[in-house]
Structures are given as structure tokens and as C-alpha cells.
Amino acid sequence: MKKPEMNPVYRRRLWKHRIGIALSFFAMAVGLFFLMWILLTLVVKGVGAIDMAMFTQTTPAPGSEGGGLMNAIVGSLLMVSVAVFISTPIGILAGIYLAEYGEVSWFAKVTRFVTDIMLSAPSIVIGLFVYAIYVANVHHFSGWAGSFAISLIAIPVVVRTTDNMLNLVPTSLREAAFALGAPRWRVATFVRLRAVKAGVITGVLLAIARISGETAPLLCKSSAQFSAVCPPMVGKIASGRSLSMMRSTTCQVIGSI
Amino acid sequence: MSANINAFPDRAAEQKGEIDDGHIFSKALKATMRKQRLQDFFFHKLTLLFALSVLFVLMGIIASLMIGAWPALKEFGLPFVTSIEWDPVNDKYGALIAIVGTLVTSFIALVIAFPISFGIALFLTEICPAWLKRPLGTSIELLAGVPSIIYGMWGLFVFAPLFADYIQPALAHTLGQVPVIGQLFKGPMMGIGILAAGLILAVMIIPFIASVMRDVFETVPPVLKESAYALGCTKWEVVRKIVLPYTKIGVVGGVMLGLGRALGETMAITFVIGNAHKLSWSLFAAGNSIASTLANEFAEAESVLHVSSLFALGLILFVITFFVLSAAKLMLMGMSRKEGMK
């Protein structure tokens, strides 16, 4: 059977459609291509540098052989854990406020807006802020200043995830708790928050993933003379690249589950 | 039967006891309720305090940047923004080069990232089979999770050499020959430079724009799309004439969000932009952005005026990103309100 002759208008529309779809496939391929390229680069160039010495020895003076990155790893872990200890309670409580009392007040609306802005504010500006209020007054760089800076970056992440997660709790669950005579704070913490515990923890993990890869705010203030932090070190020592990659991807994988 | 009848007085007695008990109980109840009301009050104020602290941090950032920037702004005045001089030796500072570098790299990034993100969002919402949606979406989000320093190193060590060897000559031989815009593609082919920075920024913001676009595309009511299909539209026409107009504001909001990211991006840019304080027509030339200037010079700034000028740069950057992000948020909020109304 011969195909009927196609109307030229239809043919033009069909071709437009085909080109559009092909371009869309192409765009997706470009995205995946860059992802694969970056990950492969990290694995291929970094995997050879991983050995026991990297985790157990400190960085030697420039020019000498051997050594590892223990100072950077330990420094990173310390700073990130301090930042998590600071930002988790603040973030969760502020998130509870937004979800629990936030529907009515303009103040909560403003806070939510501001949190969204902070979520993507340039991290180097946050570094400047911590420099201005902390380092300039104490007159020396320190890991504490770095921790404060990255906890400022983590807080908005935790606040927004907590807020979003709490809003997923069905109203009937809360009403049931209220009907049993539970006070509001109990409902908020023991019913509502507990119901979305996993989601809130995901938020904290996301925040960890974000701040452990954070570099810029640390440049201007964490212990510059000890270079005790991982990401800035990575800029100096190429062999560290695999490490930061592994950490960030593992965090990311945990976070996305 | 008789047991039932006998039960009446008992129950009456029970009820009387209940009332008596209730009387006592209500006192206890009142005490409990008072306690709980107090607890609620403290809980409210405690969470309010932490929510307030988030607000205060933002105000603190603006205030501290202004205080830090004040000496430089007083010294140089408005010409600070338009002067191209940046001379730490003679203590003369102007922000124009950094501002232009920031804007140009972000603009290049947007021009490249917008069509690609659109394609990705289109693929994920309309074309992709359902079982592939999640893994592909996750892998694009993974691209957003790569720390910016990794992008920087990858850009400097892997991308820039290839860029200098293959792409830059190709650009110089094609676009470089065109009369007017040819100026943009001339000059030494070092790999690093404003164009390379813009390209890497594009890769970095693609996942942000794509995921916002995907989310807003999914808010389009299926009825609209199905009606268009029923009228004989092709998939491309549905996307182009139904989905895109419906989600216009949201798409612009997503693009602005990506722009906000691109403006504030620091480490990747610092690695590949070349960090040279000069203004050139060529996109191949090394330049500087606000964030890379801050990252490079802040730890080494000695004079008060230098530090203060850097604060002024930070303030400019923050103000620009604040407005861009606010606009993006307001647009996206309008979008979700529309979604709620349908």
C-alpha cells in the first residue's frame, strides 16, 4: 500500500516536532555527558592517590615527598560536625515555627522568603559576614569561624526541608492528637515532627552534603595557616581530588535516598 | 431484668461519685491546662526566637557589609562602580572590571544553559518513559551536588586544555571572522578566560534551571495538554504553545534562580577565569569576577581601604543577587498560587 501524499503543512509541522524532540534528546545527552566526564575524571585521576598514608599522615611541607591528607580530613570532619550541631537545632526549631505558626502571620512569610534567598545567596558573602563579626573581633583565623560560616549556609537548608516536610503531615493526624487533649508543643514535636522524622533527617544530610563541599567562605577565614580543611586543600594538592569527590558523592547518594 | 432495674440506683450513685471526682479532677485539669498553656507559650516563643534569628542573620549580613564597605564608598564615592582601576599598590580601587566580569560570565552561562535546561526538562516531563524518569532526574540533580571546587579543578586541568586546543581555534576560525562579533573571539587561546568560565558556569547551573523547569512543567493541567493533542497538535507544538505559555512566569523564575547561582559562584570561576584585572573585548582574555576577586585577595588584603573595597564588592554582589533571587522567588510564588487556584 502506497503512503498517501502528505500535506506540506503537516510535513513542516512534523519536521519541526522531530527537530525539537531531537534537540531535547541532545540536551539530555549533553547533561549526562558532562556528569559522566566529571565523575570519570575524578575516579581515573584520583583513585591512584588513595592509600593508607593519605588517611593517616599529615601534609608535609611543599616540595617534600610522601605524607597524606589527615589534617585536611580531620579538619573537615570537625568543622562539619560542629556546624551540624549548631545548625540542626536552630534549623529544626525555626522550621517548626514556620510550619506550626506560619500560616497566619506575615512575619513567617517574610522569614520563609528570606530563607529562600539565603539558600542561594553567594557563599563568599557569608564568609565576609563571619569575617566581619567574628574574625575581625577575635583577630585570628580559626576553625570555629569556619564552622559558623558553614552552619549559616546549612541553616536555611534545614529550615526549608523541615518546613516542607511538616506541611506534608495530614491535618487529621494533628486533629486527632488535639482531640486527645495534647497541647500544641506536644503535637508539634511528638506527633508532627515524629511523623516526618526521616524527611527532616534527609534535610540535615542534604545540608551536610552542601557544606562539606563548601570552599569559598572557608578561604577567607578558617585556619589558613594550618590548612586544616579539606576543600581549600584540594585546590592546592591535586591528589586530594578523589577524596572530596568521594565524600560529596556519598553524601549526595545518602541524601537522595 | 431485675439486675438491670437494680443497676439504676447504682449508676446514679456512680454518677454522683463521678461528679464529685470530676470536681476534684477539674481542679487538676485546670492546673494541667495552665501548665500546658505555659509550655505552649514558651514553645511558641522559643521557635519564634529561632525563626527571628534567621531574619537577623540576613539583616546582619547587609549591615556588616555596609559597615565594612563604608570607608571605600566614602573615599571613592559613586565612581567606585564605574572606575576600572584596581591597584592595591597605590590604594586605588574601582569595581567595574569585576562587575563586568561577573555579569558577562553569568550572561554567557545563561545563554548556553537555558536551551539545554529546557531540552532536559522537556525530555524528563514529556518524552522520557516513566521508569527512566527517576534515575535520569536523580543524575541531573547529582550534577547540582558536585562541589564547585571540583568543577573548578576539572575546568582548569581537563576542560581548559581541550578548550584551548580544539574549541577556541574552531571559534576563532568561524565566528572570529565575522566583522563585528569577531572581536569577541580573538586573542590568545589559553583555555582559561571569560568564555571558559561562562561555559563551566553553564554546566553548573543547568541542573538548577532544569529541575525548576521540570517542576513547573508538571503543574500544567493534563486537560489542557490532552485537549491540544486531541486537536492534532504534535508533541513539540504542545510544549511550545501550551506548556511554555502556561508556565512562562515559572520558567523565567527558574532562569533567574540559575542566574542568582551563577552570579555568586566563586571557586569554579576563580580557577578558570584567569584572575587578571583588565578589561578586554575578547572573550578569550582572562578577566575577573566579583567573587573571584574576593576569594583571591581577601586573605592577603593589608590596607584598610583594600579590605573595605573588597567589602564594597561583596555588598554589590549581594545586592545584585538579592534582587535577582527576590524576583525569581516572587515569580515562582505567583506560579504556585496559580496552581493552587486551578
Side-chain angles (χ1 to χ4, degrees):
Chain A
M1 202 174 103
K2 194 175 168 286
K3 260 175 119 181
E5 190 65 24
M6 213 186 229
N7 185 327
V9 177
Y10 288 169
R11 196 182 305 136
R12 207 170 55 237
R13 284 176 54 199
L14 197 61
W15 272 109
K16 251 190 194 166
H17 160 79
R18 282 191 186 139
I19 292 170
I21 299 301
L23 285 178
S24 162
F25 267 92
F26 174 71
M28 191 71 213
V30 168
L32 291 179
F33 167 72
F34 276 109
L35 178 69
M36 286 300 136
W37 191 5
I38 290 171
L39 290 184
L40 274 181
T41 308
L42 290 169
V43 171
V44 169
K45 300 214 170 179
V47 87
I50 300 178
D51 50 15
M52 266 328 274
M54 193 177 94
F55 295 102
T56 53
Q57 290 175 24
T58 54
T59 308
S64 50
E65 287 292 309
L69 291 168
M70 193 182 73
N71 50 345
I73 298 167
V74 171
S76 250
L77 287 178
L78 278 178
M79 274 195 0
V80 169
S81 40
V82 169
V84 168
F85 271 111
I86 297 172
S87 57
T88 307
I90 297 180
I92 289 182
L93 282 170
I96 289 178
Y97 177 83
L98 289 184
E100 194 68 27
Y101 305 96
E103 266 102 61
V104 278
S105 71
W106 63 270
F107 165 69
K109 277 190 193 124
V110 172
T111 311
R112 208 170 270 154
F113 190 77
V114 164
T115 324
D116 277 343
I117 302 280
M118 297 253 299
L119 208 55
S120 14
S123 54
I124 188 127
V125 171
I126 291 176
L128 283 185
F129 168 63
V130 174
Y131 179 87
I133 61 161
Y134 185 89
V135 181
N137 292 329
V138 185
H139 294 298
H140 64 84
F141 299 102
S142 74
W144 285 107
S147 294
F148 288 142
I150 56 178
S151 60
L152 284 185
I153 294 168
I155 287 172
V157 183
V158 181
V159 172
R160 284 305 274 159
T161 0
T162 311
D163 182 21
N164 289 339
M165 286 296 149
L166 287 177
N167 280 326
L168 293 180
V169 178
T171 323
S172 55
L173 195 66
R174 297 180 57 212
E175 280 164 0
F178 279 130
L180 289 173
R184 196 160 191 176
W185 68 273
R186 246 171 197 285
V187 176
T189 51
F190 286 83
V191 176
R192 219 176 171 192
L193 190 61
R194 188 171 279 186
V196 289
K197 206 164 46 183
V200 173
I201 290 173
T202 308
V204 175
L205 285 176
L206 276 179
I208 293 176
R210 170 105 195 260
I211 60 177
S212 57
E214 202 54 69
T215 322
L218 305 180
L219 270 187
C220 30
K221 77 197 59 58
S222 83
S223 28
Q225 53 274 66
F226 306 112
S227 286
V229 196
C230 216
M233 288 284 292
V234 175
K236 291 177 188 149
I237 301 177
S239 67
R241 65 178 77 188
S242 59
L243 171 77
S244 190
M245 177 276 292
M246 286 194 318
R247 200 194 35 209
S248 61
T249 39
T250 37
C251 287
Q252 197 62 33
V253 168
I254 297 166
S256 56
I257 291 172
Chain B
M1 266 317 242
S2 65
N4 264 354
I5 291 165
N6 286 343
F8 273 119
D10 285 355
R11 201 193 277 170
E14 245 170 49
Q15 271 176 354
K16 199 166 159 13
E18 235 169 53
I19 288 163
D20 284 347
D21 279 351
H23 189 63
I24 299 159
F25 187 57
S26 77
K27 249 185 200 164
L29 192 68
K30 261 184 198 152
T32 319
M33 277 174 72
R34 202 174 298 125
K35 202 177 81 199
Q36 288 184 346
R37 211 171 294 141
L38 207 66
Q39 285 168 340
D40 268 353
F41 176 79
F42 281 121
F43 184 69
H44 181 196
K45 294 300 171 233
L46 184 75
T47 52
L48 176 69
L49 182 76
F50 283 109
L52 263 177
S53 69
V54 177
L55 213 54
F56 275 136
V57 166
L58 183 86
M59 290 177 186
I61 288 174
I62 297 174
S64 72
L65 286 179
M66 280 182 170
I67 293 167
W70 184 242
L73 293 180
K74 202 171 63 181
E75 173 77 23
F76 302 118
L78 205 59
F80 180 76
V81 188
T82 54
S83 157
I84 62 163
E85 206 173 0
W86 185 274
D87 187 359
V89 183
N90 296 322
D91 243 10
K92 285 254 184 295
Y93 304 98
L96 189 65
I97 295 175
I99 295 175
V100 168
T102 302
L103 295 180
V104 168
T105 47
S106 306
F107 179 74
I108 296 172
L110 263 196
V111 167
I112 298 167
F114 174 69
I116 295 185
S117 323
F118 176 69
I120 291 177
L122 169 62
F123 185 86
L124 286 177
T125 50
E126 302 292 331
I127 303 172
C128 182
W131 59 274
L132 257 178
K133 250 179 205 176
R134 241 186 101 84
L136 286 184
T138 313
S139 55
I140 291 299
E141 274 157 25
L142 197 66
L143 203 55
V146 177
S148 66
I149 187 119
I150 305 266
Y151 278 106
M153 280 191 326
W154 170 80
L156 182 63
F157 295 123
V158 181
F159 182 73
L162 291 175
F163 189 64
D165 287 348
Y166 299 105
I167 303 175
Q168 280 186 327
L171 281 176
H173 286 135
T174 52
L175 286 174
Q177 307 302 323
V178 184
V180 182
I181 58 167
Q183 282 298 320
L184 297 175
F185 300 98
K186 286 211 166 76
M189 299 169 199
M190 299 177 294
I192 56 175
I194 289 186
L195 189 60
L199 282 175
I200 289 177
L201 266 187
V203 179
M204 297 182 69
I205 62 174
I206 281 172
F208 291 103
I209 303 183
S211 64
V212 173
M213 276 193 188
R214 182 189 60 184
D215 292 346
V216 295
F217 282 0
E218 273 166 3
T219 64
V220 180
V223 180
L224 277 184
K225 285 193 281 185
E226 281 157 14
S227 323
Y229 281 127
L231 289 173
C233 283
T234 60
K235 195 170 263 174
W236 176 252
E237 283 165 345
V238 169
V239 172
R240 182 69 194 71
K241 306 220 166 104
I242 307 292
V243 174
L244 210 53
Y246 187 86
T247 55
K248 201 167 43 191
I249 301 173
V251 167
V252 177
V255 170
M256 301 279 263
L257 213 60
L259 182 61
R261 285 272 167 177
L263 288 169
E265 184 42 57
T266 313
M267 287 323 292
I269 293 284
T270 312
F271 269 65
V272 290
I273 201 168
N275 303 313
H277 271 297
K278 53 182 193 224
L279 211 52
S280 158
W281 276 110
S282 170
L283 292 181
F284 289 175
N288 224 337
S289 79
I290 295 180
S292 69
T293 310
L294 288 174
N296 275 318
E297 299 186 11
F298 199 79
E300 285 142 27
E302 291 291 334
S303 75
V304 178
L305 218 50
H306 195 181
V307 174
S308 165
S309 301
L310 290 172
F311 267 105
L313 277 184
L315 182 66
I316 293 170
L317 177 65
F318 192 69
V319 169
I320 298 175
T321 44
F322 187 85
F323 280 115
V324 169
L325 291 171
S326 307
K329 276 294 148 206
L330 289 174
M331 285 174 175
L332 288 172
M333 267 153 102
M335 202 53 214
S336 57
R337 207 172 301 136
K338 198 158 117 193
E339 184 194 356
M341 255 155 57
K342 72 157 194 273

